[in-house]
């Protein structure tokens, strides 16, 4: 009986000592977490899309709390309303950001970009891109497997069965950037929605020389530079045989669209152009 009692007392004493050690360690190595992090996290949409540049809403909430200001921090899913709520919790001023939307910089549909071979493998753009140049002569264009569609958590992008290209539903797009990251050819890009949701951009990423590009795709950029010379705002640059429109400089005049011989420059949500009036030749003088 004495042995059992001694064993119980010994185990109890060991347990008490270990409990005291654990308590002391927890106090010494305790990590303080600002309670505002939980409040900010609750205000966020919990999409965990990474569009803010941080690993999920929790990481973004911690970054907001630890930062002296909210400059450069924006939740694309929650938008300005969410950022105003976060600013109210932290006693800071919310920064503003232009609404963004994803655009697909490839217009090489089945009609414009003829198929030269057939890919018979796993339906993945990443895998096909790693294996070879693709089913067409353009090694820069959309592969059409839909990795961007699978990456979107908001049902904002779908493959068009007729063109074989992804199309973005503007009203659903939150500009999280998941489709941008998923595309192995950097075709998708986030651009400002623009005034009245109007945008102008070069719908091509082909960097081959003009003759090679024209042979591969009838609407590919051939690097002729006509758009660069026409733009009165110096918003267009030409590098590696490819034109690019700087959306910060572009004034949406659309002069570049008119002069592009390949019809590569996309214009979105503009009203139909007015037909040009034909200038009649002056009547010949009566003899």
């Amino acid at each position: 009986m004495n042995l059992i009692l001694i064993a119980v007392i010994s185990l109890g004493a060991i347990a008490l000592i270990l409990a005291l050690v654990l308590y002391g360690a927890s106090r010494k190595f305790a990590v303080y977490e600002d309670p505002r992090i939980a409040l900010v996290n609750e205000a966020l949409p919990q999409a965990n899309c990474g569009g803010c540049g941080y690993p999920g809403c929790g990481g973004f909430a911690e970054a907001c709390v630890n930062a002296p200001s909210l400059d450069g921090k924006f939740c694309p899913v929650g938008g300005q309303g969410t950022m105003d709520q976060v600013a109210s919790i932290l006693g800071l001023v919310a920064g503003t950001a232009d609404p963004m939307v994803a655009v697909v910089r490839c217009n090489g549909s089945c009609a414009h970009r003829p198929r030269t071979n057939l890919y018979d493998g796993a339906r993945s753009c990443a895998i096909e891109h790693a294996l070879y140049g693709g089913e067409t002569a353009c090694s820069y264009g959309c592969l059409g497997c839909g990795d961007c569609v699978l990456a979107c958590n908001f049902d904002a992008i779908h493959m068009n069965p007729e063109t074989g290209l992804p199309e973005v539903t503007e009203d659903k797009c939150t500009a999280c950037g998941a489709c941008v990251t998923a595309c192995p050819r950097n075709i998708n890009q986030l651009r400002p929605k623009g005034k009245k949701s109007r945008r102008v951009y070069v719908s091509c990423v082909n960097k081959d020389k003009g003759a090679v590009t024209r042979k591969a795709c009838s609407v590919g950029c051939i690097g002729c530079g006509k758009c660069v010379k026409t733009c009165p705002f110096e918003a267009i640059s030409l590098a590696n045989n490819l034109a690019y429109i700087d959306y910060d400089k572009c004034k949406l005049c659309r002069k570049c669209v008119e002069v592009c011989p390949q019809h590569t420059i996309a214009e979105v949500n503009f009203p139909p152009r007015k037909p040009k009036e034909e200038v009649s030749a002056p009547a010949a003088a009566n003899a």
Side-chain angles (χ1 to χ4, degrees), residues 77-103:
V77 179
Q80 193 63 46
T82 295
M83 292 309 301
D84 290 340
Q85 188 175 355
V86 171
S88 176
I89 294 172
L90 301 179
L92 300 174
V93 177
T96 58
D98 294 331
M100 306 286 282
V101 67
V103 298

Side-chain angles (χ1 to χ4, degrees), residues 22-40:
L22 291 175
Y23 175 76
S26 65
R27 294 297 299 270
K28 182 176 179 59
F29 300 106
V31 178
Y32 171 76
E33 181 175 288
D34 195 319
R36 295 179 299 172
I37 295 177
L39 296 176
V40 172

Side-chain angles (χ1 to χ4, degrees), residues 31-207:
V31 178
Y32 171 76
E33 181 175 288
D34 195 319
R36 295 179 299 172
I37 295 177
L39 296 176
V40 172
N41 192 31
E42 290 178 1
L44 297 175
Q46 302 304 315
N48 294 314
C49 60
C52 58
Y54 294 89
C57 294
F60 181 64
E62 184 176 356
C64 290
V65 171
N66 295 331
S69 71
L70 295 178
D71 293 340
K73 292 178 174 56
F74 190 78
C75 173
V77 179
Q80 193 63 46
T82 295
M83 292 309 301
D84 290 340
Q85 188 175 355
V86 171
S88 176
I89 294 172
L90 301 179
L92 300 174
V93 177
T96 58
D98 294 331
M100 306 286 282
V101 67
V103 298
V104 181
R105 294 184 298 162
C106 178
N107 196 27
S109 63
C110 302
H112 297 147
R113 192 167 42 129
R115 179 179 292 172
T116 58
N117 62 85
L118 180 62
Y119 172 68
D120 187 15
R123 296 301 297 171
S124 167
C125 296
I127 295 175
E128 185 174 346
H129 176 70
L131 292 176
Y132 77 131
E135 295 182 331
T136 68
C138 177
S139 59
Y140 296 89
C142 178
L143 293 167
C145 296
D147 286 17
C148 53
V149 177
L150 296 175
C152 181
N153 293 324
F154 305 97
D155 195 37
I157 187 167
H158 298 90
M159 299 300 298
N160 186 318
E162 295 183 2
T163 64
L165 297 173
E167 293 181 350
V168 178
T169 303
E170 184 175 323
D171 295 338
K172 293 183 178 181
C173 180
T174 61
C176 68
C179 62
V180 177
T181 304
C183 181
R185 295 194 165 179
N186 300 316
I187 292 172
N188 300 329
Q189 183 190 19
L190 295 180
R191 295 180 72 92
K193 283 188 175 181
K195 296 180 180 178
K196 298 182 180 180
S197 295
R198 296 173 181 174
R199 298 177 293 282
V200 175
Y201 59 93
V202 178
S203 186
C204 181
V205 294
N206 194 318
K207 298 179 181 179

